[in-house]
Amino acid sequence: MKTIKDLDITGKTVFIRCDFNVPKDEDGNITDDRRIRGALQTIRYCVDNDCKIILASHFDRPTAGVYEDKYSLKIVVARLKTLLKIAEKITLADDVVGVDAKAKIAALKAREVLVLENLRYEAGETKNDEAFAKELADMADIYINDAFGVCHRAHASVDAMVKFFDTEHRAAGFLLSKEVNFFAKTIENPMRPFVAVVGGSKVSGKLEALRNLIEKVDKVIIGGGMAFTFLKAQGYEIGTSLVENDLLDEARTIMIKARKKGVKFYLPVDVVVTPEFSEHGISKYLPSQEIPKDWMGLDIGPASSRLFREVLNDAQTIIWNGPMGVYEWDKFSKGSLKMSHDIADTHATTIVGGGDTADVAQKAGDVDEMTFVSTGGGASLNLIEGKVLPGIEALEQ
Ligand code: AMP
């Protein structure tokens, strides 16, 4: 895959598809600006090469055609100004491919930045619409994709738009190429022992990832809600914990495969149980063998954390995707926070999948201690599954 450094971009108009879909609180403030900071390197490179820079991103899920203020990229542009610290203008267009965007592009000078409004204000974006893609493509000489978080979706700005540029005029930005290299290279050629830590709610969401990982890793640690399907498959009473009964056979198959391949497979040995799915109910630690019939497990227990720490001790590569419990609630967040600290404390190359897992690492204050924290949840999971992402395929073709 070509990167921006392989292209001659000097003085050109460059369209950069960024992923500015940052989380915000109930007052609309940005709670984590990693995705904006992640895009800075590519943007600065374009500034230094005297480009006219057009940035485009989606933001949350507006209804197409309805310009609601809460979905505007206004707050992103404000943060971008603070972080980019350039003397030249950084402006926001009032629309995506409308009169205002076009007028502002026509007036754009070298080293200036124009941010288009939320791509998903236009129905054509998620429909991968050719005509819309062409309108975007007509804005620039060069197309750069730096939006790893959306590469698993065939949307106009990451897929249909790309074919309007030949290979001398399209490439990956620094962030995208770093994301892909980290996952692809690490998974294909890891330093061993290679440990996968997989958590989150359901087995079904990570089945493909598990199947692929079993072929590559030396050890697997399972936590979170999905652990209960595996525990039940082993014959344990799991009470009212999250379970996917239709996947019990699949869970058994994965464990048998792991045993045959010599992959060590670890499940929680104790859990934090509570009578109901509530933030403030009573709770206690119990061995995994002793979950009461009408209680549910919402986190791994302290013995599991200690065991998992031992398992991680000699790791040289760790890939982590999915929290160990309902980390959003303080009471059930200890297992996930501890897992984050334990991974951060190792000397291994540590790769944290985006989304919830990155959120845990952030809450735990461990982000700087990890080798790489992905900006894309779904996209990173797809890479672990061994899938070709549409956005990356479009660039490579
Ligand atoms: P996923 O999107 O599959 O990575 O799952 C993340 C979600 O799993 C988080 O919102 C957690 O609250 C949830 N989760 C983790 N452990 C459990 C559990 N034991 N029971 C129910 N939900 C869980």
Side-chain angles (χ1 to χ4, degrees):
M1 189 167 66
K2 274 197 175 169
T3 71
I4 187 167
K5 280 209 141 178
D6 301 319
L7 306 185
D8 174 15
I9 62 163
T10 311
K12 306 254 171 74
T13 303
V14 180
F15 180 105
I16 311 175
R17 178 34 160 124
C18 301
D19 179 7
F20 290 150
N21 189 27
V22 287
K24 51 189 177 170
D25 62 20
E26 56 276 12
D27 298 319
N29 300 306
I30 296 171
T31 52
D32 179 2
D33 64 7
R34 269 181 326 114
R35 286 180 164 174
I36 305 177
R37 281 186 280 118
L40 295 180
Q41 198 186 354
T42 301
I43 302 171
R44 287 200 179 111
Y45 182 77
C46 292
V47 172
D48 292 345
N49 280 280
D50 296 326
C51 299
K52 297 175 183 176
I53 303 153
I54 302 166
L55 306 181
S57 174
H58 71 288
F59 185 40
D60 214 333
R61 291 166 190 264
T63 308
V66 185
Y67 276 59
E68 270 183 279
D69 220 35
K70 64 177 175 179
Y71 298 116
S72 168
L73 281 168
K74 227 178 272 171
I75 54 164
V76 169
V77 173
R79 184 64 57 95
L80 195 60
K81 282 183 183 165
T82 312
L83 295 170
L84 205 50
K85 294 187 198 119
I86 53 169
E88 288 79 6
K89 272 199 299 191
I90 304 173
T91 36
L92 175 68
D94 295 341
D95 47 34
V96 186
V97 286
V99 179
D100 191 63
K102 284 177 180 151
K104 282 180 175 152
I105 290 167
L108 206 57
K109 298 197 184 72
R111 302 167 67 88
E112 286 183 352
V113 178
L114 175 71
V115 184
L116 304 181
E117 254 302 1
N118 192 341
L119 286 166
R120 289 194 188 164
Y121 281 154
E122 293 291 327
E125 170 63 359
T126 52
K127 289 188 179 139
N128 205 17
D129 181 70
E130 290 264 337
F132 174 62
K134 173 87 168 62
E135 282 202 84
L136 291 175
D138 284 345
M139 293 175 171
D141 310 311
I142 304 274
Y143 171 84
I144 300 297
N145 184 345
D146 216 13
F148 177 68
V150 272
C151 279
H152 59 311
R153 307 206 183 280
H155 288 175
S157 63
V158 285
D159 186 23
M161 181 181 175
V162 187
K163 62 168 132 359
F164 295 104
F165 298 84
D166 63 29
T167 53
E168 298 304 313
H169 295 87
R170 66 173 192 233
F174 294 111
L175 177 66
L176 177 60
S177 93
K178 197 157 81 179
E179 293 266 10
V180 174
N181 279 340
F182 254 103
F183 277 100
K185 283 198 184 138
T186 310
I187 292 175
E188 291 316 317
N189 202 7
M191 293 261 284
R192 295 185 181 278
F194 179 14
V195 185
V197 180
V198 187
S201 53
K202 291 179 176 171
V203 181
S204 50
K206 306 219 169 124
L207 196 59
E208 283 300 316
L210 274 172
R211 283 197 194 121
N212 198 32
L213 283 169
I214 285 286
E215 302 290 334
K216 310 207 163 20
V217 299
D218 302 292
K219 312 184 194 188
V220 180
I221 292 172
I222 303 278
M226 68 161 63
F228 297 99
T229 298
F230 286 97
L231 288 169
K232 184 165 182 184
Q234 287 191 334
Y236 287 64
E237 169 64 56
I238 55 151
T240 52
S241 306
L242 205 64
V243 68
E244 287 167 287
N245 285 313
D246 53 332
L247 288 180
L248 292 174
D249 281 342
E250 191 67 51
R252 270 180 222 110
T253 308
I254 289 174
M255 288 187 282
I256 291 166
K257 190 156 191 197
R259 201 175 313 136
K260 278 191 184 148
K261 291 188 74 72
V263 175
K264 311 287 186 297
F265 197 90
Y266 299 91
L267 289 170
V269 290
D270 65 341
V271 287
V272 183
V273 291
T274 178
E276 57 189 39
F277 192 75
S278 148
E279 191 170 357
H280 302 295
I282 54 164
S283 62
K284 57 186 174 185
Y285 302 133
L286 281 177
S288 300
Q289 290 85 343
E290 297 178 24
I291 302 173
K293 265 196 161 47
D294 44 1
W295 288 49
M296 65 182 74
L298 293 187
D299 195 10
I300 59 169
S304 305
S305 291
R306 276 200 294 278
L307 169 71
F308 295 165
R309 189 184 170 86
E310 295 280 314
V311 175
L312 293 169
N313 231 358
D314 64 343
Q316 292 300 315
T317 307
I318 301 169
I319 192 159
W320 177 27
N321 194 300
M324 296 291 103
V326 182
Y327 76 98
E328 296 93 333
W329 294 342
D330 280 350
K331 208 167 188 172
F332 306 104
S333 66
K334 285 199 186 81
S336 300
L337 296 177
K338 196 120 204 324
M339 176 55 81
S340 175
H341 295 329
D342 290 343
I343 291 175
D345 280 349
T346 62
H347 296 287
T349 298
T350 51
I351 300 179
V352 179
D356 286 332
T357 327
D359 202 20
V360 175
Q362 167 98 0
K363 275 194 178 170
D366 292 326
V367 169
D368 292 340
E369 303 300 317
M370 303 295 187
T371 313
F372 189 69
V373 179
S374 176
T375 55
S380 69
L381 193 62
N382 279 191
L383 278 188
I384 298 171
E385 288 166 351
K387 287 192 183 139
V388 181
L389 312 188
I392 292 164
E393 198 177 23
L395 273 185
E396 283 174 339
Q397 268 167 5

